[in-house]
Amino acid sequence: QVQLVESGGGSVQAGGSLRLSCAASGATWRFDCMGWFRQTPGKEREGVATIVTSGRIITYADSVKGRFTISQDNAKNTVYLQMNSLKPEDTATYYCAAGVFGRGTCVPRYWGQGTQVTVSS
């Protein structure tokens, strides 16, 4: 099994920054990509940013391009999401995921427990 533990959520004013972390443990050979997804009540979970663990492919949702940066520390099996210039519409529960990359996207197989990000105007 794969365990994903997130940290770094919280509350911030618009224009502020937060950094999320996700540490993977267990059967880490079972996935080749990691990413961040977010969800608000009544809406489907959406992809925010993903990275292939080789580091050669990174994808971002259009709504966060230029503001969010995904990175990884393979030695620690940890992926990060640096979120700058946060907007109220970024408010959501953010989930870390690990999965298999195919057809240009990271298809999640494992999920973290989620961490809340709240941006006030």
Side-chain angles (χ1 to χ4, degrees):
Q1 265 294 7
V2 173
Q3 294 80 41
L4 302 174
V5 179
E6 302 131 333
S7 60
S11 298
V12 66
Q13 290 191 328
S17 299
L18 285 173
R19 188 192 194 208
L20 306 181
S21 300
C22 174
S25 61
T28 56
W29 62 87
R30 291 183 176 176
F31 60 86
D32 64 7
C33 61
M34 295 183 72
W36 292 94
F37 295 72
R38 66 187 181 187
Q39 189 171 24
T40 55
K43 293 188 177 181
E44 291 189 358
R45 195 169 296 186
E46 64 173 357
V48 176
T50 63
I51 185 168
V52 175
T53 51
S54 66
R56 285 177 289 184
I57 301 175
I58 293 176
T59 65
Y60 293 101
D62 287 343
S63 58
V64 306
K65 283 180 181 177
R67 300 188 299 122
F68 290 11
T69 302
I70 190 169
S71 62
Q72 61 185 359
D73 183 336
N74 284 338
K76 297 180 179 179
N77 288 320
T78 299
V79 65
Y80 306 95
L81 186 67
Q82 178 66 42
M83 304 185 292
N84 298 329
S85 302
L86 282 161
K87 304 176 181 180
E89 50 264 43
D90 294 318
T91 296
T93 301
Y94 283 71
Y95 295 90
C96 175
V100 177
F101 194 83
R103 297 184 180 180
T105 188
C106 185
V107 180
R109 285 186 174 177
Y110 309 98
W111 293 97
Q113 79 282 2
T115 185
Q116 179 66 35
V117 171
T118 302
V119 184
S120 58
S121 58

